[in-house]
Amino acid sequence: MDELLAALRAAGEATRLRVLALLGRGELTVGELVHILDQSQPRVSRHLKLMGEAGLLDRFQEGTQVFYRLSENGLGAALNDALLALLEGDGAALEHDLKVLEKIRAERFEKAQAYFRAHAAEWDQIRSLYVAEAEVEQALLEMQGGAKVERFLDMGTGTGRMLEVFAHLASQGLGIDVSRDMLSVARGNLALKSLDHCQVRQGDMYELLLGDESQELVLFHQVLHFADDPQRALKEAVRVLAPGGTLLVADFAPHREEFLRDEQAHRRLGFADDEVSHWCEHAGLKTTEIRHLDGGRLRVTIWRCDKPADVKE
Ligand SMILES: C[S@@+](CC[C@H](N)C(=O)[O-])C[C@H]1O[C@@H](n2cnc3c(N)ncnc32)[C@H](O)[C@@H]1O
């Protein structure tokens, strides 16, 4: 009862409801919340602290940036769900905030796209700057275990390198990416290697035009650190993953290379082991293996998560 009252009190104020509605669209930095809410930083920070203490929000620091996201456990998570459902109908009051949020995201998206546009041709060299790429590819193949699959989906395929790596295991490979420039390099690479059973398509990893449970293997290789809402991208991957299917995620372990935000449009400075496995488990998968690879300045982590097979009655 006390806990519920404290959480209700923490949520029961106009700015704090706005914060809940905004974070319902994905994690945000304090700076972004200050900008959208158009209030002073100390004021916004006070609201966030209160909501954090009441179990409504989780806070995490990454380099110079502090991020907030909705709490996913316990009473706070249940209350957030209920409040978000009630706030759904309150379009007019939140319209301004959501517009500013969209603008911030569009700007960041454009910045990332400009980066990929400018670097599409030399991406295959850039991608191997930090880690021994051959080692990562070898580890991914080992962790997948060599099982043949009908359909393989490469999320944020870029130049299509991962389609090449997994081509021998899949009857059909599909790479999706938002960047036309990346995709045109990928098409060239696939043609050069005569990988006719692999295709690429322009698409958004948050909203795949693919049926539920249609893919046996889904991979995110160095994609999530660009995502505004990595959890939502994983959830969408889990939607299209078939029962008994495997999700592989390869990304940087937490690091401090802040320059990657400015120079290479990274949103997140890596991910902790339990962050990704928690998201996957929350979406219904089971983490079966986590591996770390040391690659000089940046470490790479690979998560393997499996979807339970259908239980026959
Ligand atoms: C760092 S590159 C990695 C490419 C490839 N997976 C590799 O390992 O070489 C990240 C890719 O994710 C793509 N991307 C970013 N946001 C996306 C989204 N919402 N949907 C699909 N692709 C996206 C970018 O266009 C870019 O090609």
Side-chain angles (χ1 to χ4, degrees), residues 188-206:
N189 286 344
L190 295 175
L192 206 66
K193 302 267 162 58
S194 304
L195 295 174
D196 300 334
H197 65 300
C198 295
Q199 289 181 2
V200 290
R201 255 191 244 154
Q202 194 177 26
D204 184 354
M205 64 183 172
Y206 296 113

Side-chain angles (χ1 to χ4, degrees), residues 136 139-140 143 248-250 289-291 293 300-304:
V136 178
L140 279 166
M143 287 174 72
L248 289 170
V249 179
E289 189 178 351
I290 299 180
R291 236 188 242 197
L293 305 172
V300 167
T301 307
I302 307 178
W303 293 259
R304 175 184 163 142

Side-chain angles (χ1 to χ4, degrees), residues 279-296:
W279 285 333
C280 291
E281 282 160 26
H282 201 252
L285 305 188
K286 190 172 172 344
T287 308
T288 41
E289 189 178 351
I290 299 180
R291 236 188 242 197
H292 301 114
L293 305 172
D294 279 311

Side-chain angles (χ1 to χ4, degrees), residues 153 208 210-215 218 236-242:
L153 173 64
L208 298 168
L210 295 171
D212 293 355
E213 306 189 341
S214 55
Q215 316 290 314
V218 180
E236 180 64 349
V238 174
R239 178 185 70 77
V240 301
L241 193 63

